[in-house]
Amino acid sequence: MISSAQIPLYEIKANLFKALAHPARIRVLELLAASPDGQAPVSYLLAETGLEASHLSQHLATLRRHGVVTSVRSANTVTYQLAHPKISELLAIARTFLLDSLAESGEQLQLAQELPGEHLGGLGL
């Protein structure tokens, strides 16, 4: 059996991105990143995501298992927070990358639409 110290960093990174690979988990992380104190109770996450409690619980468990969030129980309230402040930066970088990509795609689409019809090869665009 391979110890965690023997796993290449690129595999660990891939597992991190797998943990992030669901819109509900990204939404939870964005909510946590946007909260004033960087943490939120499950009741708030439920209300903001609109997920069923069991589904939210599964997503939070995935994020916790991959070390992306941590949780603290106080009486009957469970509060989650980002495990590391750089996760907020990761989300911001992803947002910037995606917005830049969308802007570039939009510019390419606009240029294509401005071409005379005969250059489109009869595609009906």
Side-chain angles (χ1 to χ4, degrees):
M1 184 164 163
I2 297 176
S3 75
S4 60
Q6 295 172 314
I7 298 172
L9 186 56
Y10 61 84
E11 285 187 29
I12 296 169
K13 285 182 187 178
N15 286 328
L16 169 65
F17 285 110
K18 286 178 190 176
L20 302 177
H22 194 283
R25 292 192 286 267
I26 295 297
R27 180 69 179 132
V28 166
L29 295 175
E30 288 175 340
L31 289 167
L32 293 174
S35 65
D37 55 359
Q39 56 186 359
V42 171
S43 58
Y44 173 77
L45 298 174
L46 276 170
E48 292 297 313
T49 62
L51 293 171
E52 291 182 24
S54 61
H55 291 146
L56 178 61
S57 178
Q58 290 172 0
H59 289 301
L60 289 169
T62 298
L63 292 170
R64 210 174 39 249
R65 185 171 52 252
H66 286 87
V68 181
V69 298
T70 60
S71 63
V72 176
R73 178 179 291 279
S74 175
N76 61 350
T77 301
V78 179
T79 302
Y80 280 85
Q81 64 185 31
L82 298 177
H84 195 284
K86 292 289 186 180
I87 295 168
S88 292
E89 287 183 43
L90 179 64
L91 294 169
I93 290 167
R95 184 180 200 288
T96 300
F97 168 75
L98 292 171
L99 290 175
D100 288 351
S101 296
L102 290 172
E104 185 177 303
S105 296
E107 290 168 9
Q108 291 171 347
L109 179 60
Q110 181 66 33
L111 289 173
Q113 289 172 340
E114 292 172 2
L115 289 173
E118 64 269 7
H119 289 98
L120 299 177
L123 295 176
L125 298 176

